[in-house]
Amino acid sequence: MEIQVVTHPLAAARLTIMRDKRSDNATFRSALADLGAMLIYEASEDLRVEQFSMDTPLTATTGTRLEKPPIIVPVIRAGLGMVDPALSMIPDAQVGFVGLARDEETHKPVPYLEALPDDLAGQPVLLVDPMLATGGSLLHAIRLLSDRGADDITCVCMLSARPGVEAVRDSGLPIRKLVTAAIDPELNEDAYIVPGLGDAGDRLYGPRNIHF
């Protein structure tokens, strides 16, 4: 698995806003949208393209388009915040969904939604989730994709923890690349990333009022 840490100054500045405990929901959401677009841009660098004939207002020329637009799969709820930024970069992409809640006692993912095509063989997939902590949620989603034949999976996570990165890297699943803005060193006893940015879903949408 290739690991790409995006260190662009603008990406670092947006991540800093997201880390700052003073950032309210609207500020956090705006920074996440900007950073999401930057990471999708980087993650899409090696998508295959095709050439086609076209006309400018002056003459004929050759244009470029994606050979096969990817399917964007957010891990919801926090991953929903990355859908619009992804579509702003790749407007002809399809969108699937994987819904996972966090069990606060075991720290394991609890699945509650799955909306994916039956056959993903040969289909580029951008799996998006703001946080890669233990790796449990991302690995569950990757297994669902793999069960449908996905063999070209790029994970896009705004912030990652070293234990989660290692768990994904060592999983043996068909993950081609992980794109992230930073890798933090550890998790605390509640499996939150340290120094981290808190709970991305709560900071996007407010505290949860549904428990699984």
Side-chain angles (χ1 to χ4, degrees):
M1 180 183 77
E2 178 186 350
I3 299 172
Q4 180 181 357
V5 180
V6 178
T7 59
H8 192 286
L10 297 183
R14 295 310 192 280
L15 181 59
T16 297
I17 293 170
M18 293 172 64
R19 288 188 189 274
D20 193 333
K21 68 179 184 180
R22 298 170 298 179
S23 297
D24 59 16
N25 291 124
T27 303
F28 185 91
R29 195 178 300 129
S30 176
L32 184 144
D34 289 347
L35 181 56
M38 296 176 198
L39 295 182
I40 292 295
Y41 175 86
E42 295 289 346
S44 305
E45 181 181 19
D46 52 3
L47 288 175
R48 290 183 296 181
V49 297
E50 61 185 8
Q51 310 298 316
F52 65 100
S53 299
M54 58 169 288
D55 296 315
T56 76
L58 300 179
T59 187
T61 189
T62 300
T64 301
R65 61 191 171 202
L66 294 180
E67 182 179 297
K68 181 177 287 188
I71 179 170
I72 298 161
V73 179
V75 178
I76 58 178
R77 79 179 163 143
L80 286 175
M82 297 178 70
V83 173
D84 285 346
L87 290 175
S88 74
M89 292 286 101
I90 315 173
D92 49 351
Q94 298 181 6
V95 181
F97 297 94
V98 173
L100 299 170
R102 170 186 162 102
D103 187 309
E104 296 297 343
E105 293 185 1
T106 67
H107 308 148
K108 295 186 181 299
V110 180
Y112 64 89
L113 175 67
E114 182 183 325
L116 297 168
D118 291 333
D119 185 4
L120 290 169
Q123 170 67 55
V125 178
L126 296 181
L127 179 61
V128 299
D129 193 356
M131 310 286 282
L132 170 55
T134 65
S137 294
L138 206 66
L139 287 172
H140 180 90
I142 293 166
R143 290 186 185 99
L144 291 178
L145 296 168
S146 180
D147 288 345
R148 285 161 175 75
D151 51 11
D152 184 2
I153 302 171
T154 296
C155 301
V156 183
C157 301
M158 298 188 170
L159 180 60
S160 303
R162 177 62 59 187
V165 172
E166 292 173 354
V168 172
R169 183 197 61 198
D170 298 339
S171 68
L173 293 169
I175 309 151
R176 188 169 59 82
K177 182 164 63 172
L178 167 67
V179 180
T180 188
I183 300 176
D184 282 359
E186 60 186 352
L187 303 170
N188 67 12
E189 62 275 10
D190 295 317
Y192 282 99
I193 300 174
V194 178
L197 51 78
D199 186 295
D202 287 356
R203 299 197 67 193
L204 270 170
Y205 303 119
R208 287 165 288 180
N209 55 14
I210 298 175
H211 300 280
F212 295 86

